[in-house]
Amino acid sequence: MHKARGFSLLEVNLALAILALGLSAMMSSYLSVAQKIQFSQQQQEAHLLLYQLVQVLPLYPEQLAWLASQSPVSGQPASASACWQGKHCNEQQMLAAWWQYWQVSVSQVLPEGELHLACSFSCNTGGKLSLQIRWHGPAQTMAACGDWHCSIFQWPL
């Protein structure tokens, strides 16, 4: 008679260890891909908002110096909200309404997102307008602006 032979405890433990290593490698890879997808989506949102800014800001060349002098996350002036209600607004009030709209949009779609505008040299002809959207993204993705992830657009005035 033949003795029934099964797996020894050592063989079972070895098989479980190999399975655990394989599953942990797969999970690590999955998390890495998920973070890269999240970061790509955040970059896409930032670029879309920058595109909107580039379409509207050139319509207000005389107000750019005023806008650059405002604090980066200033509150919405009461006159800016009137612009969205169809009331008469001057160009500065309309630009303030747009700026507030973009600030809110950035903070809603990007974690701790901020929008910054600056003029190099001057906001007149010969200077450069710099737009920066920055946010806190996945920690494993290298940040481009210190501790922040960012998208920057510059164009000559």
Side-chain angles (χ1 to χ4, degrees):
M1 232 172 153
H2 293 282
K3 183 176 173 184
R5 179 150 157 82
F7 294 104
S8 71
L9 186 56
L10 180 61
E11 292 171 326
V12 171
N13 284 339
L14 187 58
L16 286 174
I18 292 171
L19 181 64
L21 282 173
L23 289 175
S24 67
M26 284 177 31
M27 185 58 84
S28 175
S29 176
Y30 173 76
L31 291 174
S32 175
V33 168
Q35 289 174 345
K36 287 178 183 176
I37 289 171
Q38 178 189 20
F39 182 65
S40 293
Q41 288 173 334
Q42 290 172 346
Q43 279 187 314
Q44 186 176 16
E45 290 288 346
H47 289 199
L48 178 64
L49 288 165
L50 282 174
Y51 177 76
Q52 291 176 11
L53 284 157
V54 169
Q55 297 302 308
V56 175
L57 287 180
L59 301 174
Y60 301 96
E62 287 83 33
Q63 288 74 28
L64 290 177
W66 169 81
L67 184 60
S69 71
Q70 301 300 301
S71 68
V73 190
S74 60
Q76 181 175 5
S79 59
S81 65
C83 296
W84 297 123
Q85 298 169 355
K87 297 181 180 164
H88 182 269
C89 294
N90 63 30
E91 289 180 343
Q92 186 171 328
Q93 292 167 328
M94 194 66 225
L95 183 57
W98 274 113
W99 190 254
Q100 181 63 29
Y101 167 79
W102 289 315
Q103 286 285 2
V104 169
S105 296
V106 166
S107 66
Q108 286 176 345
V109 299
L110 297 169
E112 299 179 45
E114 296 178 359
L115 174 60
H116 298 274
L117 174 133
C119 294
S120 301
F121 307 114
S122 75
C123 287
N124 299 325
T125 304
K128 282 187 179 177
L129 184 65
S130 175
L131 296 167
Q132 179 188 71
I133 295 178
R134 64 185 193 171
W135 69 95
H136 288 292
Q140 290 74 12
T141 308
M142 192 162 86
C145 300
D147 292 337
W148 296 83
H149 296 289
C150 66
S151 288
I152 300 173
F153 184 81
Q154 294 184 348
W155 83 80
L157 299 171

